[in-house]
Amino acid sequence: MGNSGSRAPALLGKTHVPDFEWKIHDFPALLDTKATSATTAPFDCSGFKWCLQLSPMHKKNGDETPYVALALMLWPYMLEEDHMVHAVFEFSIYNHSNRMYCGCKADYNFYLKNNYSKKKCLIPLQELLKSSAFLVDDSCVFGVEILKIDVSSPEKKAVVVQHKATTVQNLFVQKKGFVEGTYTWTVNNFLELEVKQCVHSPSFEVGGHKWCIVMYPRGDKCSTDCLSLFVYLDARNDQPLEFKNVVKMTLCIQDQKNGKHVTITSGLVEYANAWGWPNFIPLKKFKDPSGGYLVESNCIVKVDLTIVGSSNDG
């Protein structure tokens, strides 16, 4: 797709071989999904679980040029309320011509309820699409190397970053033939269920797999006075462990009076288990009698799932 030689973009410098490498096969097909982001399945590093998130059309403040950007997510359910994890890391993209990783260094303070780092721009999107060094056979490779971890907690836990062989994930996005499914869950007795920690919908099938909606009526541990909603892949699915679905998901709580539904759409997610939003809707707004989200203990949750591809460990 064009030829920009082996020159590295001005933003990038040479980086270490990453702890985690993510190969995206047919990168233009990812763009065709119109997804604002794509997120890996969790990977392990030094006692924590992390995810790498790619934004293919990120724009800096005041700049109309779209960039391919990366962010790091710390899996929040491994943290306690009073813990802070400071991480130093490198984002990278692989230069096939020079056989080296190029990128930039970053650091971030991760908290239970603030677990995404700031996005770092790597390369302008159009420059990547024209490159014969970073895009080979329409595929490109991204990575992250975690250099240092400090944990601030009452226990003052010390963490030594343990480097091991690079973990590899592959992302395959279909060009066509997406599998779509919709399920509507009517909860008729929310005020009775409110005392429970979480509530599961009946299972439903999309793409030969069983799924269910999980609601935390009072919010889960990562929420702030909000209703939490997730979609789980049934653990009893008969599928090879190395296979993961790549899914785009929309969750909606319907406004039964005014039609002002609350809707959130994910980017592409490598679906190993569950995905959703701890802070889906503030409980005060959800229970407001003037609204139509909760009517006589009745609420309606709708999910749209689109399976756009698959992933595996390399």
Side-chain angles (χ1 to χ4, degrees):
M1 297 187 65
N3 185 357
S4 64
S6 60
R7 179 179 61 86
L11 290 174
L12 306 183
K14 184 177 180 181
T15 61
H16 297 83
V17 175
D19 292 307
F20 176 79
E21 185 179 272
W22 193 22
K23 185 171 184 178
I24 299 180
H25 300 261
D26 202 343
F27 183 81
L30 183 151
L31 298 176
D32 290 342
T33 68
K34 307 299 182 184
T36 57
S37 66
T39 305
T40 68
F43 62 92
D44 296 310
C45 181
S46 302
F48 294 93
K49 287 186 179 296
W50 311 81
C51 293
L52 187 62
Q53 185 181 80
L54 178 142
S55 298
M57 295 173 285
H58 178 67
K59 292 183 179 179
K60 299 179 182 179
N61 292 336
D63 192 344
E64 289 303 312
T65 301
Y67 279 82
V68 177
L70 293 178
L72 185 64
M73 183 188 86
L74 174 58
W75 203 249
Y77 299 95
M78 305 187 72
L79 290 171
E80 299 299 328
E81 183 70 41
D82 54 354
H83 286 198
M84 184 271 286
V85 174
H86 176 75
V88 180
F89 45 92
E90 288 178 332
F91 289 134
S92 61
I93 182 172
Y94 187 64
N95 186 320
H96 292 83
S97 297
N98 292 341
R99 296 184 179 181
M100 70 178 188
Y101 295 89
C102 304
C104 57
K105 192 174 181 180
D107 68 283
Y108 196 72
N109 294 326
F110 296 91
Y111 298 90
L112 177 65
K113 297 177 181 179
N114 186 15
N115 62 316
Y116 279 88
S117 75
K118 294 180 180 178
K119 296 174 183 177
K120 297 288 286 189
C121 294
L122 287 188
I123 181 173
L125 174 61
Q126 293 305 315
E127 187 169 339
L128 174 61
L129 293 175
K130 295 176 182 177
S131 173
S132 62
F134 297 101
L135 192 68
V136 176
D137 296 328
D138 280 347
S139 299
C140 47
V141 179
F142 299 94
V144 61
E145 165 82 352
I146 298 176
L147 303 171
K148 185 180 180 181
I149 300 173
D150 293 313
V151 179
S152 297
S153 68
E155 300 85 13
K156 295 183 179 179
K157 179 182 176 182
V159 176
V160 177
V161 176
Q162 299 173 343
H163 296 287
K164 53 184 180 180
T166 301
T167 300
V168 179
Q169 285 185 22
N170 293 286
L171 172 62
F172 306 92
V173 181
Q174 298 168 206
K175 292 185 178 180
K176 58 182 179 179
F178 298 159
V179 178
E180 299 180 347
T182 297
Y183 177 73
T184 301
W185 179 28
T186 300
V187 181
N188 294 312
N189 55 341
F190 178 86
L191 296 179
E192 295 177 21
L193 299 174
E194 192 176 15
V195 298
K196 297 185 177 182
Q197 181 182 8
C198 65
V199 183
H200 292 67
S201 76
S203 64
F204 58 95
E205 187 171 312
V206 177
H209 307 289
K210 290 184 177 179
W211 313 75
C212 71
I213 303 170
V214 177
M215 174 191 291
Y216 289 77
R218 293 170 292 163
D220 74 351
K221 67 177 286 187
C222 293
S223 73
T224 305
D225 298 322
C226 290
L227 185 80
S228 302
L229 282 179
F230 300 86
V231 174
Y232 275 69
L233 182 64
D234 195 321
R236 296 167 295 180
N237 276 308
D238 185 17
Q239 61 178 9
L241 291 176
E242 68 271 13
F243 174 84
K244 302 180 187 73
N245 294 288
V246 177
V247 173
K248 187 176 180 180
M249 175 180 69
T250 298
L251 269 172
C252 170
I253 290 185
Q254 296 185 355
D255 181 343
Q256 302 170 64
K257 292 182 179 179
N258 311 302
K260 297 179 180 179
H261 309 319
V262 174
T263 301
I264 304 180
T265 299
S266 72
L268 303 189
V269 181
E270 296 195 25
Y271 225 101
N273 183 21
W275 194 264
W277 293 272
N279 294 302
F280 191 87
I281 181 173
L283 286 169
K284 184 177 180 180
K285 178 178 180 179
F286 175 70
K287 295 180 178 180
D288 186 345
S290 65
Y293 306 111
L294 185 63
V295 179
E296 296 181 354
S297 197
N298 174 300
C299 67
I300 300 173
V301 182
K302 181 183 177 184
V303 60
D304 296 294
L305 282 178
T306 303
I307 301 175
V308 302
S310 62
S311 70
N312 64 17
D313 296 332

